[in-house]
């Protein structure tokens, strides 16, 4: 039985990714940090569909908690086939209003967590003969966004991390790829007014928002494509191209 662990997997893109792997017969572990109520509700929702995902609580930007999480994971499962580094936060501020605390917080969640989780599993994947790491970046990591300098920089760092680690691990049959969502219909965009949303949609060639399920499809594709590594797959309906 194949296994997958998704960080930040209780809602939005992460939840859709968890469901996509469950539907393909994977044993799925869903990481969450603070919101236990949402985590339990997500688990119950999947239970009602006939799936039995495991919940593991950890702040994936904290090294000790990451180590403890994977220690628990490997006490349950012999190997990890797929790690999806999805946990992330955003903040909309002009750079003059972006404090060092804002900057460090975004990098800690978006970049440091990706580094810590990946570092913790690579030896296990190598020993098992291979595996896949899929990192979630953003179109803003590719092209940048006004008033989101810290977020854009962090997601650009995820792309660079992906490309470098892919080269490092390719000889060991551990593939590392990146999904770069465009404007997706999630809570992260709930701050937009109807007018702002319409204006944004008008800039998308496919003239609609993407869905979390469409991002999840890309994650599964990259996780299961045995000769693809170091790639950034944009899922944005042509946005930003």
């Amino acid at each position: 039985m194949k296994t997958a662990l998704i960080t930040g997997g209780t809602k939005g893109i992460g939840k859709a990714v968890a469901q996509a792997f469950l539907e393909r017969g994977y044993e799925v572990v869903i990481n969450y940090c603070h919101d236990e109520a949402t985590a339990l509700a997500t688990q119950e929702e999947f239970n009602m569909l006939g799936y039995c995902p495991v919940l593991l609580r950890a702040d994936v930007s904290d090294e000790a908690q990451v180590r403890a999480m994977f220690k628990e994971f490997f006490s349950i499962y012999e190997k990890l086939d797929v790690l999806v580094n999805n946990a992330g936060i955003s903040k909309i501020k002009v750079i003059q209003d972006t404090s060092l605390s804002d900057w460090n917080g975004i990098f800690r969640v978006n970049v440091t967590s990706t580094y810590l989780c990946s570092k913790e599993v690579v030896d296990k994947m190598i020993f098992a003969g291979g595996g896949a790491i899929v990192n979630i970046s953003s179109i803003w990591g590719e092209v940048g966004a006004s008033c989101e300098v810290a977020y854009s920089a962090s997601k650009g760092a995820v792309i660079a991390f992906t490309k470098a680690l892919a080269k490092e691990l390719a000889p060991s049959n551990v593939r590392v790829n990146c999904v770069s969502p465009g404007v997706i219909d999630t809570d992260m965009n709930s701050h937009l007014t109807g007018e702002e949303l319409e204006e944004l949609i008008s800039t998308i060639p496919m003239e609609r928002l993407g869905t979390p399920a469409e991002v999840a499809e890309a994650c599964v594709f990259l996780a299961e494509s045995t000769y693809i590594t170091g790639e950034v797959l944009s899922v944005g309906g042509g946005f930003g191209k």
Side-chain angles (χ1 to χ4, degrees):
M1 186 73 71
K2 289 187 175 181
T3 60
L5 185 146
I6 294 90
T7 68
T10 63
K11 59 184 179 179
I13 289 172
K15 181 180 177 181
V17 172
Q19 182 165 347
F21 280 103
L22 286 166
E23 289 173 349
R24 283 160 178 78
Y26 283 71
E27 294 286 335
V28 172
V29 174
I30 298 173
N31 156 262
Y32 71 102
C33 185
H34 302 299
D35 192 349
E36 185 173 23
T38 298
L40 291 172
T42 297
Q43 185 181 48
E44 183 177 358
E45 182 180 334
F46 285 143
N47 289 163
M48 294 292 287
L49 294 172
Y51 304 119
C52 299
V54 173
L55 297 177
L56 288 182
R57 184 171 188 167
D59 177 349
V60 287
S61 69
D62 180 276
E63 185 174 21
Q65 292 189 46
V66 169
R67 286 180 175 173
M69 178 178 73
F70 281 107
K71 182 178 181 180
E72 186 171 356
F73 177 94
F74 287 113
S75 73
I76 303 170
Y77 302 105
E78 291 184 359
K79 64 186 178 73
L80 175 62
D81 294 287
V82 180
L83 168 65
V84 181
N85 287 308
N86 167 74
I89 58 173
S90 65
K91 194 175 291 290
I92 298 176
K93 287 185 177 181
V94 295
I95 194 167
Q96 298 96 317
D97 294 334
T98 302
S99 67
L100 182 58
S101 177
D102 292 333
W103 179 273
N104 288 339
I106 287 174
F107 267 78
R108 188 169 60 250
V109 176
N110 295 356
V111 186
T112 302
S113 68
T114 299
Y115 150 72
L116 288 173
C117 290
S118 300
K119 180 184 177 185
E120 200 63 27
V121 304
V122 291
D123 280 344
K124 294 283 190 179
M125 287 184 170
I126 291 169
F127 181 77
I133 297 172
V134 180
N135 300 319
I136 305 297
S137 180
S138 166
I139 190 65
W140 299 140
E142 298 184 71
V143 303
S146 174
C147 301
E148 292 189 69
V149 170
Y151 179 75
S152 299
S154 72
K155 289 302 188 177
V158 169
I159 290 173
F161 176 91
T162 297
K163 290 180 175 291
L165 189 61
K167 292 178 179 178
E168 189 170 315
L169 297 180
S172 301
N173 196 37
V174 177
R175 294 169 296 100
V176 188
N177 290 290
C178 186
V179 175
S180 177
V183 187
I184 308 299
D185 189 9
T186 67
D187 290 345
M188 192 172 281
N189 293 312
S190 62
H191 64 279
L192 296 171
T193 66
E195 185 177 338
E196 288 171 335
L197 202 55
E198 286 182 14
E199 184 178 349
L200 191 55
I201 290 172
S202 72
T203 67
I204 301 172
M206 290 193 71
E207 300 182 339
R208 67 173 178 85
L209 301 182
T211 68
E214 287 170 322
V215 180
E217 288 174 8
C219 291
V220 173
F221 168 75
L222 289 174
E224 296 187 338
S225 297
T226 56
Y227 199 57
I228 297 176
T229 196
E231 295 297 334
V232 179
L233 179 54
S234 295
V235 182
F239 180 69
K241 298 303 179 182

